[in-house]
Amino acid sequence: QEVDEGERDQPGVGDSEMDGVAEDYAARSSGIYNANEVKDQVFEELRIDPQVAQEVQASWKAFCATAETIEAAGDAVYSALFGAVPTLQTLFKTPRAVMAMRFVNALNLLISALHDPPTLKILTETYGFQHLDLDVTIPRIVAFREAVIVLLSEELGTRFSPMARDGFATLLNYMGGAFVYIRVQYAERLACLSRSWALANGRSTVGEDGEEEEAE
């Protein structure tokens, strides 16, 4: 079923099942991030409870094991995402096979770094800079999050525990919110650096009035 890209409500898979787990998880974790909200006004380290991180990593490993190859796992994520929200496909020009591998490799690295908040933040920031040209929005982040959660729930069944589900949702919210934050906060700074670099190298640049100016 196609997800309405403009839908801001954050639907959950098994919400009633997750309520108690989320409360317990929040009590044992620190920081502002959670499974229900996308925080795009701040970008701090994500500190997930070690038990939750372990559940996420175990679930991801189990999911990858259900696929014949890592490429097949990536294709499953790709299909789940663009099957739920076909309009997102217009954001990516990369061939399907390449994009699928990028998805799965990125998730591999981020999930592996859950026990190391500083490294996780650096990885997330790196991916954020790589996606500065994409129009990442909160509804799209929610759609991506839910597509991944549904895929894992369908593939793993009871092996995908409420704690793992909560951890995955928190990680995906963190990643998406960071992308929005980086795009808003750093886009103008990068543009200024680009103009300065052009001036330093004697190339023409674009002035505030939109007209091309020659560096002196």
Side-chain angles (χ1 to χ4, degrees):
Q1 182 180 359
E2 185 172 335
V3 175
D4 182 358
E5 189 175 322
E7 179 63 56
R8 293 300 295 258
D9 291 338
Q10 306 212 2
V13 178
D15 285 338
S16 59
E17 183 183 16
M18 288 182 64
D19 288 343
V21 174
E23 291 177 3
D24 180 61
Y25 159 64
R28 293 185 287 111
S29 301
S30 61
I32 64 171
Y33 300 103
N34 59 65
N36 300 315
E37 299 174 288
V38 177
K39 303 286 187 179
D40 63 346
Q41 301 298 312
V42 293
F43 179 36
E44 301 176 357
E45 291 181 356
L46 173 63
R47 298 186 176 276
I48 282 186
D49 180 89
Q51 186 177 352
V52 176
Q54 186 175 355
E55 285 284 320
V56 171
Q57 291 166 344
S59 295
W60 180 247
K61 183 177 180 180
F63 166 72
C64 290
T66 64
E68 294 183 0
T69 62
I70 192 67
E71 290 82 4
D75 191 69
V77 174
Y78 184 101
S79 297
L81 173 59
F82 295 122
V85 193
T87 55
L88 290 183
Q89 201 160 2
T90 60
L91 298 178
F92 301 95
K93 307 303 181 184
T94 308
R96 174 173 179 144
V98 176
M99 199 70 247
M101 282 304 301
R102 287 182 181 175
F103 279 147
V104 76
N105 286 336
L107 287 172
N108 263 331
L109 287 174
L110 293 167
I111 291 169
S112 297
L114 280 175
H115 289 298
D116 186 353
T119 298
L120 178 61
K121 187 173 187 288
I122 291 172
L123 286 171
T124 303
E125 186 174 46
T126 300
Y127 287 126
F129 278 113
Q130 291 175 358
H131 293 82
L132 280 176
D133 60 325
L134 298 183
D135 185 20
V136 181
T137 64
I138 290 181
R140 286 171 173 168
I141 295 164
V142 172
F144 180 87
R145 180 193 75 199
E146 293 303 312
V148 172
I149 296 296
V150 168
L151 173 65
L152 293 171
S153 297
E154 291 177 347
E155 293 294 328
L156 298 179
T158 57
R159 290 180 293 169
F160 191 45
S161 69
M163 188 176 291
R165 185 182 294 114
D166 191 86
F168 260 102
T170 301
L171 173 61
L172 296 173
N173 284 345
Y174 173 72
M175 179 179 70
F179 283 13
V180 176
Y181 178 89
I182 290 168
R183 186 167 182 264
V184 171
Q185 297 295 321
Y186 296 121
E188 180 57 30
R189 297 184 191 181
L190 291 174
C192 289
L193 287 173
S194 179
R195 289 192 292 268
S196 298
W197 180 255
L199 287 169
N201 286 275
R203 296 199 298 269
S204 62
T205 186
V206 177
E208 292 183 358
D209 58 359
E211 295 183 358
E212 191 175 79
E213 301 172 347
E214 291 293 333
E216 297 181 357

